[in-house]
Amino acid sequence: MKMSYKDKEIIKKNAHFILVKGFKSTENDYGIDYFSDEIKISIYYEKYGTAGLIGIRFVKENVFFDIGWIALVRENIQLSSENPLENILILLDFMKENFDCITNYNYCKESDQLIDDYCVRLIESNPKYSEDGENIKKLINHEKYKDLS
């Protein structure tokens, strides 16, 4: 889904703290990217969906993390697919409060393990998703289970 000019302006206003940290920005039809030599933060609407997402890529490591998942496992922040702009504003608040952590590769890597653990617990506690209990841990793939919570 394309991001409207109005939504971009609201997001840029709320994401100004990223520019203050020395990042530069670019825009396209679907969102806004903030980047430094080491990190790229992407704020976007899913191209063929209705979700508003924020991701962070560590350039040197070439690893991408989903801020929505990190916010869920770190502070139990739950988002709705009903309003992508609202989701992005909630995640920007989380990022602003936790910017030093969010831009730390080890914090995001540890969060990735918490996400795996969360998915395993969710699947194991719900018979609907745990028909093959022996292989649950092998099946963990964040994108695959994003709609389970």
Side-chain angles (χ1 to χ4, degrees), residues 39-81:
I39 294 172
K40 178 181 177 186
I41 298 168
S42 298
I43 302 172
Y44 57 98
Y45 289 167
E46 284 183 325
K47 200 171 196 172
Y48 301 108
T50 59
L53 306 169
I54 301 180
I56 185 167
R57 177 175 300 283
F58 291 86
V59 175
K60 179 181 166 190
E61 294 83 358
N62 195 27
V63 179
F64 177 86
F65 298 98
D66 184 313
I67 301 302
W69 273 102
I70 293 172
L72 173 67
V73 298
R74 293 289 187 165
E75 295 191 13
N76 198 31
I77 295 173
Q78 300 195 13
L79 305 173
S80 165
S81 62

